[in-house]
Amino acid sequence: MSPVPLTTNKANDVSVDHDDALLSVANVGFDYDNTPILDEVSLTVDRGEFVALVGPSGCGKSTLLNLISGVLPARSGAIRTGNRVIRSDRLGNVSYMQQKDLLLPWRSVAENSRLGIELRGAGHADSMEQVERLSRSFGLADVLDMMPWQLSGGMRQRAALLRAVLPENPVLLLDEPFGALDAITRRSLQQWLLNTLDTSDRAVVLVTHDVEESILLADRVLVMAPNPGRIVANIDVKIDSSLDGADTSTSPRFIELKKRVLSLLNGDESGSGASQ
C-alpha cells in the first residue's frame, strides 16, 4: 500500500486561493509579547468542505480560529471569509463554537439558540420559527423550554451548535466541540454532526487533538507543528463514504491515515510513519 499523498499539486495547495473558497488565509503571522505564535500560515476551505486542524497543544490552532473570526488581529498576511476581508467586517459574520458551550444560564434552550439571529435584528416570532424548524434535526425539539442546567453535556453542545448554525454564516469554526465529553457521547455526536452538515454549503474548520475525530469528520486534515505554529501537511482523507462508523475506523485507509498523522505529530514532517 502506498503512503497517503500530501497534496502538493497546485490545484490542492493550501496556499492557493481557490475561486470557490469561502475561507482564505494567506501568509498569516501572529505574535504574543514579541514571541511568534503563528508564522506564514496559509490555507483555503472551499464551499461545502470540512477541514480539520490537528496539532500539539500550543501550536496556535485556537489562535488561528480567533484570527479568522476577527477576535484577534494578525501581525501579517490576509484573511478572507466569503467576501469579507477587513477584520471588523468578519466580527459577527463567522460562526464560532468553542469547547465550552457558553450557554447563558438565564435563557432557555430556545432563547440561547436564537441569540445570534436575535442580535442581528430578527424579531421574536421569526427567530423562534427558525429555531423550531431546525430543532428536530438537532434532537432538541422536546427540550426547547428547558434551562441549560437541565441538559446533559451532549445536549448542551447540540444547543450551542444550533446557535452557531442559525445565522447561516458562510464559515463555521469548531474549537474542540466534543473535547469535554465521554467517549461514547463524543462518538455519537461526531456521527450526528456529519449527518447534520452533510448537505451544508458552508466552509467548516474543526480544531481537535483527536486524530481519529479529524479523519472521521473531515475532507482534509491539516497538521500543524509548533514554535512557531505552521502547517506542515495537507492530507486528503478520501475514505469510502458508504462505510458506517465502525467499519470506517477499522478500514485500511483509516489506519493508514492515522499512522501518517501520528508520525507527523511526532515530528516526522515527511510523514514516513505511514505504511507502505
Side-chain angles (χ1 to χ4, degrees), residues 22 42 69:
L22 287 180
S42 296
S69 67

Side-chain angles (χ1 to χ4, degrees), residues 226-239:
N227 303 319
R230 62 199 186 280
I231 295 172
V232 296
N234 173 27
I235 302 175
D236 284 316
V237 174
K238 294 181 180 176
I239 290 180

Side-chain angles (χ1 to χ4, degrees), residues 92-219:
N93 289 287
V94 173
S95 295
Y96 192 178
M97 178 181 171
Q98 297 173 304
Q99 181 172 346
K100 294 182 179 179
D101 58 71
L102 301 178
L103 298 179
L104 301 178
W106 59 89
R107 296 182 67 126
S108 69
V109 172
E111 291 169 336
N112 268 289
S113 299
R114 67 184 178 90
L115 181 60
I117 53 176
E118 179 184 315
L119 291 173
R120 286 189 171 181
H124 181 272
D126 180 47
S127 61
M128 285 304 300
E129 187 278 329
Q130 294 184 59
V131 168
E132 291 169 358
R133 176 171 50 85
L134 285 181
S135 63
R136 189 159 300 282
S137 63
F138 277 68
L140 296 170
D142 296 330
V143 300
L144 290 179
D145 294 328
M146 290 186 178
M147 304 302 286
W149 62 267
Q150 295 176 292
L151 302 182
S152 66
M155 294 297 279
R156 290 173 65 104
Q157 291 302 90
R158 289 178 185 235
L161 183 62
L162 177 56
R163 180 179 59 192
V165 166
L166 270 173
E168 298 186 347
N169 291 318
V171 176
L172 173 61
L173 308 177
L174 304 172
D175 192 355
E176 295 271 10
F178 308 135
L181 303 176
D182 65 87
I184 295 173
T185 302
R186 183 167 63 246
R187 192 55 180 260
S188 173
L189 285 179
Q190 287 168 350
Q191 188 58 52
W192 167 79
L193 180 64
L194 271 177
N195 295 338
T196 301
L197 297 178
D198 184 49
T199 58
S200 171
D201 63 355
R202 303 166 196 246
V204 182
V205 181
L206 168 74
V207 160
T208 181
H209 288 92
D210 187 333
V211 173
E212 291 194 4
E213 179 174 74
S214 70
I215 298 169
L216 178 68
L217 295 178
D219 300 307

Side-chain angles (χ1 to χ4, degrees), residues 247-261:
D247 289 338
T248 296
S249 59
T250 57
S251 68
R253 175 64 172 172
F254 188 97
I255 294 170
E256 180 186 13
L257 286 164
K258 183 177 178 181
K259 286 182 178 179
R260 189 175 188 97
V261 174

